[in-house]
Amino acid sequence: MSNITHVILSGGVGSRLWPLSRKSNPKQYLNLFKEGSLFGMTVLRNKALCDKVTVVGNCDNYQLSKEVLDSQGVSYTDIVEATPRNTAAAIAFAAFAADPDDILLITPSDHVIVGEEAYAQAIEQGIEKAKEGYIVTFGIQPTRPETGYGYIEYEEDRVLSFREKPNQDTAEDFIERGNFLWNSGMFCFRADTLLEELQQFEPKVYATALAAWKHQSNGKLDEALSKKIPSISIDYAVMERSKKIRVVATEFEWSDLGSFEALYDYLVSTGYAVDEQGNMIIGSEMYTAFVGLKNTIVVYTDDALLFVQKEKSQDVKKVYNTLDKHQSKLID
């Protein structure tokens, strides 16, 4: 019997949730929710569905993963990237660590999912298709013309095309046409199936990732060898090119909490307080008054203060990038 392994990708820094999210404490580990952190919720959600756990993280945050998994009593395989090389390499490492016929369920560590039964049904469908030799992606039923997500054009379980994040007009067209799903960034496949496709379409990524993996020590990858791996997403490397792709159109509620707008909507749905104009305060009990402002989010931390219009929250990444460019300690 092949094992079902839950592979958690936890290398992201959550730059669009700065100043809450930092390199030393990314958004997936923030205890913003009554259920704990997004990482902890991800582990719990898949516990009953999978036999094993593998975490692919980075040298800045792997200890944070360990704290959560130890607290839940979960044994796991730890893969620590020396330098970020995007999702194709991260997933390849997980596949190299598995047996060839193992089914890998790849999930990000920072998503909110509501609807346990619908989630379990979707994962079971994906696992069955993976056993048949398909590479499965999970598509989310869109609830609005969102410009912050990629889309999957589909017919039944066949993927017709993958689309990059669209502008507003294109997103509205996708919703109107009715055969587009949000790309969840979740996948399911046999380890050997994925590696065969990666070797076919991106032989340099495959070869350099394998070389780095062969020289790993207790799951920690060599930095010099890792830097030789091309930085390519799994979508570009395999998903958009393989003939073995299938999609499961899911029924559960989903958010990647990739912006303060998404976080705002989720917090409001859980009863978090806003004033009569929809303004929200995160991170402080200090009395804060809003005059002449609507849907404004104020984020307090010890060393930074952010004011953002809810609808402009995707632009927070520009602030992060500017700080990164100037090597500011405010992102560490």
Side-chain angles (χ1 to χ4, degrees), residues 13-176:
V13 297
S15 58
R16 288 176 293 173
L17 286 187
W18 180 90
L20 293 179
S21 186
R22 310 287 179 104
K23 285 182 181 177
S24 60
N25 196 23
K27 70 169 180 174
Q28 58 267 34
Y29 303 105
L30 298 174
N31 285 312
L32 290 173
F33 316 98
K34 59 179 181 288
E35 301 93 340
S37 69
L38 293 170
F39 184 93
M41 289 155 68
T42 301
V43 176
L44 280 171
R45 183 185 307 128
N46 293 281
K47 224 174 187 176
L49 304 173
C50 300
D51 308 304
K52 295 181 176 181
V53 177
T54 294
V55 178
V56 186
N58 62 44
C59 50
D60 291 326
N61 67 26
Y62 74 97
Q63 288 290 353
L64 298 173
S65 299
K66 184 177 188 304
E67 288 172 20
V68 176
L69 288 154
D70 286 353
S71 73
Q72 293 192 18
V74 176
S75 60
Y76 68 105
T77 299
D78 200 12
I79 299 174
V80 183
E81 294 185 289
T83 184
R85 302 318 290 157
N86 216 316
T87 51
I91 290 170
F93 296 141
F96 289 137
D99 290 331
D101 63 347
D102 281 355
I103 304 293
L104 305 187
L105 170 64
I106 313 289
T107 77
S109 58
D110 56 358
H111 292 182
V112 166
I113 288 171
V114 178
E116 286 184 22
E117 193 175 320
Y119 179 78
Q121 288 173 356
I123 298 306
E124 285 166 12
Q125 285 181 50
I127 289 169
E128 288 308 308
K129 292 179 189 295
K131 286 177 178 176
E132 295 169 14
Y134 293 116
I135 295 174
V136 182
T137 183
F138 296 87
I140 308 298
Q141 299 290 351
T143 56
R144 61 186 182 277
E146 172 63 55
T147 60
Y149 300 151
Y151 285 74
I152 300 166
E153 183 183 10
Y154 77 111
E155 184 179 326
E156 295 180 342
D157 71 344
R158 291 187 302 110
V159 174
L160 303 180
S161 70
F162 288 92
R163 303 294 184 93
E164 298 297 321
K165 296 174 183 177
N167 60 29
Q168 187 66 29
D169 288 346
T170 305
E172 289 173 4
D173 178 56
F174 288 170
I175 301 300
E176 196 174 314

Side-chain angles (χ1 to χ4, degrees), residues 273-313:
V274 293
D275 71 9
E276 61 274 11
Q277 297 299 323
N279 299 304
M280 177 182 285
I281 304 155
I282 297 174
S284 176
E285 298 296 318
M286 187 189 306
Y287 176 76
T288 305
F290 298 84
V291 179
L293 297 173
K294 287 185 177 181
N295 297 332
T296 299
I297 306 165
V298 178
V299 184
Y300 289 86
T301 67
D302 291 341
D303 56 359
L305 189 56
L306 174 72
F307 295 79
V308 58
Q309 197 75 31
K310 179 188 169 191
E311 294 78 13
K312 296 288 186 183
S313 61

Side-chain angles (χ1 to χ4, degrees), residues 3 53 88 123 131 157 162 176 180 188 202 236 245 272 282 314 320:
N3 286 301
V53 177
I123 298 306
K131 286 177 178 176
D157 71 344
F162 288 92
E176 196 174 314
F180 282 82
C188 188
E202 288 291 341
Y236 176 75
I245 308 300
Y272 196 94
I282 297 174
Q314 294 284 348
Y320 182 96

